[in-house]
Structures are given as C-alpha cells and as structure tokens.
Amino acid sequence: MSGSEAVKRGSQKLITQLSQKGESITVEDVRAALDVSSEAQFKLLRWHVRGLPPAEIELNASLEVSQKYLGEVVQKIVNAKDLAAGIEIFPYGIPVPDIAVVNFTNVPPEVGG
Amino acid sequence: MGPTGERFRVLQLHPTRRCNLRCLHCYSSSAPEERGELDAALLREALSDAAAEGYNVAGFSGGEAILYKELPNVLDHAHACGFTTTVTSNGMLLDEKHLEVLRGRADVLAISVDGVPESHNRVRASSRAFDAMVAHLDGVRASGIKFGFIFTLTQYNLDELEWVANFAVDQGAKLLQIHPLEDAGRAIEGMPGSRPDETECAYAYFAARRLQKLFACRISVQLDLAHRELVRENPGSVFAQEFDSSELDRALADLISPLVVETDGTIVPIGFGFAREYRLGSLRDGRLRDFVPTWRRNIYPKLRQLFREVFEEETAPREFPCFNWYESVARRAIDGAVATPALVQIHP
C-alpha cells in the first residue's frame, strides 16, 4: 500500500473500485431515474447512498443545471416517485442567473435533516 | 431478548491471554509472553452455573484459545452442559494435532482474516500470518468443523472487504463476520486513528448488504453494527424495553447476553473490559451462581437504566444510520457519555 493509499478512507477506495466496475451512481443513472431528456445538461455534484439499492436507496444529490433546462429537471424531480422529500434550488450568475444548483433528497426531513 | 437474539444466550470465555501473535489491534493485549490463565476447574463450574442460568452458547477466545492446554476438557464439559461451542483462532496453529482436539468439541471455528495478505500480515505483526493460516485451511475443511472468518473493519480497509468475502466463499466458509475496530487494548497505541467513524460504518452497512446479495445463500454476512431505525422499532433488541420488576425473577441469560468471563476470572456483562462497576464478581472469589442474586438486585436495574440511556441517545435522528451498540454501551458505562472515539475496552 502506498503512502497516499494508506491515508484514504476505505470507503473512498471502495467507491473507486465500484466506479471501475460500473456500480457507482452516474449522471446517466440520475437522468434515467428522473426521465430527463438527453438535451438537458447537468453535472452530478454529489450523491450519497444509504441502505440497500435499488429499492431502499437513499439519495442526497446536487445537480448543476443550466437555466434552459431547470424547469424540466425540477418538474421531473417533483414528479418522480419517492424523490419529492426535499428540493432546494440555488440560482447562480451575475447579473442574470444562467445556472442553478438543485439539491434534492428522497430522505424524509426528520431523518435527512 | 438482547443483541444476541432469542435463540442464542452467549457466554464468552477468555481462558488465556497467551497468543502466538502480538496483533496491533488486539482488544485483550494478548501476546506470547502472557502466561496468566484461568484454572479449568473454575471454568467448568462457571459453565455449569451459566447453563443453569439459561446460557446455551459458549464462545472461547483469548489470546489464542487453542494454546490453553485444558481446552479439550473444558469444551467437553461445555457440551455436557448443553452448550453449542465456538472457538476463535488466528488459524496459524490449526495443524492436525490441534484440529483433532477440536473435532467433535468445537461446533464452530472462527478464523481471523483482516484483509488482503499484506494487510493481514501488517495487522498481525507477522510476515507469515496469512500464509500459515491458509496452509491449514485444507485440514480445517477435512475436519468437518463448520468455520467462518472474522474481518476487523478499520477506517482504511472497507475496500478489502469484497476480497475477503470472495476468499471466504472460495475456502468454503459459511460465515463472514465484520466487526468494527474499537479503541481498546493494544489498538489504542497500535492502530491510532483507525477506528472506523460513522461514515465508514454507514458505507460498511451498504457494502455488507451488497455482499449478502452478491453471495446469496453461499455465505452469511454478519455486520456487528446496529441500525438506528431497527433498534428504535425494537428496543428489546438492546435491552431497552420498559423495565418491569418481574424481570428480576427471570434467568440471568434472559437479562444479559453476552456474559463474559475474563482471564483474571472477572465476570462482566456485554464485553471484555466492561466497566467494573457492573461486574458480577470474580471466579477466584466465588461461583457465578453465588453472585447472581445480589447482582440481579443491586446492579441489574442500573445496567438497564444504562441501556435505556444509550437507546435514547442513539435512536435520536442522526445523519448516519448505523452505530456500534457495544461500543456505545461500554463508553457510557465508563464515563456516562455516549461514544465518540474513546479509549474503551469492549466487545471481542
């Protein structure tokens, strides 16, 4: 084990392994889950899995979405079964907001805070 | 019911702290130079008394339990008392001679494996530890003794768990137990900062469930962590149900499991090194059965209050879903504060 590997959390290394096997959550996973059109561009900034996927998956995610597709993405999240527990939208851009970060979770507030 | 479930009432015995290894994470600080051990006659009496109190699983650990010369006699007595027996070993000494001793006496053999060979050897402080253990696995399989592996989860080794699970399946093990490292014994100085935090425990929960799905019926994966929601729904699983004075009339095994006999004869609830304030007594001062009435009357209500406090604390909404109940209880027993990284002596 190298020095840098030694100080990494086991979970960080596990996620790297799972990503290499294709078991990580990807933008395409989220796109498919939300049924968002392929034209809507966004980045998956963070996610957190708790519980047993897929049925018990608990997701805290942040998406960076262009204003053009913000409406569609937000509407899909609101419509998505089990993903309506919490949603926050932070527009960015001066003077005209051109991008937004959308945080959403399927964890009920009393659990997810 | 308690954390060991309805069926299993566990008596853990540590007859010796002598060991062929000096593992960095050893909670009992066992080592080759340790010579203290419990007299076999005291152990046999303790087994008889524990059986009468409803205990039905006797787990032998150490130290390296197979270095205890009287182990065959004590295992025979445990069987005669009706116990299912388990023996924990680092596997390096499981040659034909020792396996012959265990055959028919140990119902389950638990062998430690702490990651890929390099990691295992580092934690075991021996460059031979892994190869020597593996060299005996053919013999273990041939002996017919059911066996499993125990993996110690640290802050840094969750990524090795799948390798360990594959290894266990390939070797024909039926159980993979994942136990989180605790800041206890030699681990305090030997592996500082390696106790898995709540994030690692949460990922371990996810990873263990994933492995259980992957390997389905081939191996049973046991993770020694409690899920807050499951505990909240079932307070009895951690002895936190409402206190009923009629409990005082029940057998000791209904009140507390695991019960632990340490190498110096001290009998404590829950785990090795548990706070002495809650101890039943010492086998060197008297028999287990003689300590029970006074303990049940004077100490047990206080212990139940402790369990209840830990339940309230740990089932409050938190960011992370899992916690180490044994550690939380041991910590609170020592200083009244629910666990954060702490210097505690607990669960084997």
Side-chain angles (χ1 to χ4, degrees), chain B residues 222-242:
Chain B
Q222 176 189 324
L223 175 63
D224 293 345
L225 290 170
H227 193 289
R228 295 184 203 284
E229 288 188 26
L230 298 180
V231 169
R232 189 183 302 131
E233 290 168 7
N234 187 7
S237 66
V238 290
F239 297 121
Q241 70 277 17
E242 290 298 322

Side-chain angles (χ1 to χ4, degrees), chain B residues 189-202:
Chain B
E189 293 185 350
M191 297 184 70
S194 295
R195 169 190 174 273
D197 63 14
E198 286 190 314
T199 299
E200 288 308 293
C201 289

Side-chain angles (χ1 to χ4, degrees), chain A residues 1-2 6-8 10 29 34 36 40 42-43 45-47 58-59 67 79 82 86-87 93 96 98-100 112:
Chain A
M1 184 182 294
S2 70
V7 297
K8 271 189 179 177
D29 292 332
L34 298 180
V36 173
F42 56 82
K43 299 175 185 173
L45 300 182
R46 66 185 174 89
W47 57 269
E58 295 182 2
L59 182 65
Q67 284 290 326
N79 291 347
D82 300 329
I87 183 167
V96 181
D98 59 354
I99 203 165

Side-chain angles (χ1 to χ4, degrees), chain A residues 1 6-11 13-15 17-18 21 23 48-54 56 110-111, chain B residues 118-119 122 155-160 162 197 199-200 203 206-207 209-210 213 229 317-321:
Chain A
M1 184 182 294
V7 297
K8 271 189 179 177
R9 287 171 171 274
S11 58
K13 292 181 279 185
L14 175 67
I15 288 168
Q17 285 180 0
L18 294 180
K21 292 182 183 179
E23 291 195 38
H48 191 180
V49 176
R50 286 187 265 184
L52 179 64
E56 298 175 21
E110 65 273 18
V111 176
Chain B
E118 179 188 6
S119 301
R122 185 174 61 252
Q155 181 79 345
Y156 307 111
N157 68 359
L158 182 59
D159 57 309
E160 298 183 22
E162 185 167 347
D197 63 14
T199 299
E200 288 308 293
Y203 276 108
F206 168 64
R209 297 294 297 269
R210 176 177 165 274
K213 284 190 78 178
E229 288 188 26
R318 299 274 194 95
E319 182 178 3
F320 295 101

Side-chain angles (χ1 to χ4, degrees), chain B residues 20-338:
Chain B
N20 56 311
L21 291 177
R22 191 193 313 276
C23 301
L24 301 182
H25 61 357
C26 184
Y27 63 85
S28 63
S29 300
S30 298
E33 68 273 14
E34 294 293 339
R35 285 292 181 269
E37 59 180 40
L38 257 177
D39 184 83
L42 297 182
L43 278 178
R44 285 194 293 268
E45 286 180 348
L47 284 160
S48 298
D49 292 351
E53 287 288 346
Y55 291 92
N56 57 12
V57 176
F60 290 83
S61 187
E64 174 57 55
I66 63 174
L67 289 176
Y68 182 61
K69 286 193 171 54
E70 293 289 338
L71 186 63
N73 297 331
V74 178
L75 284 170
D76 283 341
H77 186 74
H79 269 173
C81 293
F83 282 98
T84 295
T85 58
T86 72
V87 174
T88 300
S89 170
N90 59 48
M92 292 179 72
L93 305 176
L94 291 174
D95 56 15
E96 269 306 305
K97 184 183 78 174
H98 284 112
L99 285 170
E100 193 54 42
V101 165
L102 295 176
R103 199 191 323 262
R105 295 186 170 101
D107 298 308
V108 178
L109 188 54
I111 302 171
S112 306
V113 60
D114 289 326
V116 299
E118 179 188 6
S119 301
H120 181 84
N121 289 345
R122 185 174 61 252
V123 170
R124 300 273 149 189
S126 165
S127 60
R128 297 176 48 251
F130 189 85
D131 287 345
M133 178 267 290
V134 169
H136 294 309
L137 292 180
D138 282 344
V140 171
R141 278 188 297 275
S143 74
I145 303 170
K146 291 179 190 168
F147 71 101
F149 289 100
I150 303 176
F151 172 75
T152 301
L153 175 72
T154 74
Q155 181 79 345
Y156 307 111
N157 68 359
L158 182 59
D159 57 309
E160 298 183 22
L161 179 58
E162 185 167 347
W163 184 93
V164 170
N166 276 302
F167 172 78
V169 169
D170 290 347
Q171 295 296 334
K174 296 301 179 194
L175 170 70
L176 173 60
Q177 181 178 354
I178 305 159
H179 188 76
L181 176 74
E182 290 141 11
D183 286 326
R186 191 175 294 120
I188 295 168
E189 293 185 350
M191 297 184 70
S194 295
R195 169 190 174 273
D197 63 14
E198 286 190 314
T199 299
E200 288 308 293
C201 289
Y203 276 108
Y205 186 81
F206 168 64
R209 297 294 297 269
R210 176 177 165 274
L211 288 176
Q212 187 65 84
K213 284 190 78 178
L214 277 178
F215 293 111
C217 302
R218 298 162 70 190
I219 195 167
S220 178
V221 179
Q222 176 189 324
L223 175 63
D224 293 345
L225 290 170
H227 193 289
R228 295 184 203 284
E229 288 188 26
L230 298 180
V231 169
R232 189 183 302 131
E233 290 168 7
N234 187 7
S237 66
V238 290
F239 297 121
Q241 70 277 17
E242 290 298 322
F243 181 75
D244 177 348
S245 59
S246 68
E247 292 173 28
L248 298 175
D249 299 326
R250 302 178 70 176
L252 185 64
D254 289 338
L255 306 185
I256 193 69
S257 172
L259 185 69
V260 181
V261 177
E262 300 186 3
T263 313
D264 66 359
T266 303
I267 311 161
V268 289
I270 305 302
F272 189 96
F274 202 80
R276 271 25 189 178
E277 181 182 349
Y278 298 92
R279 75 176 199 152
L280 282 82
S282 171
L283 295 180
R284 289 178 170 146
D285 298 329
R287 290 188 63 151
L288 169 58
R289 67 185 182 195
D290 297 329
F291 298 130
V292 173
T294 303
W295 184 86
R296 185 187 272 128
R297 190 171 56 249
N298 296 338
I299 307 297
Y300 174 68
K302 197 166 60 172
L303 187 63
R304 284 281 273 109
Q305 175 62 25
L306 175 79
F307 292 148
R308 188 69 197 176
E309 289 170 5
V310 171
F311 172 82
E312 297 289 347
E313 178 74 21
E314 294 289 6
T315 58
R318 299 274 194 95
E319 182 178 3
F320 295 101
C322 306
F323 71 105
N324 184 339
W325 178 81
Y326 290 96
E327 183 175 50
S328 296
V329 169
R331 173 66 175 162
R332 195 172 190 99
I334 288 173
D335 64 13
V338 171

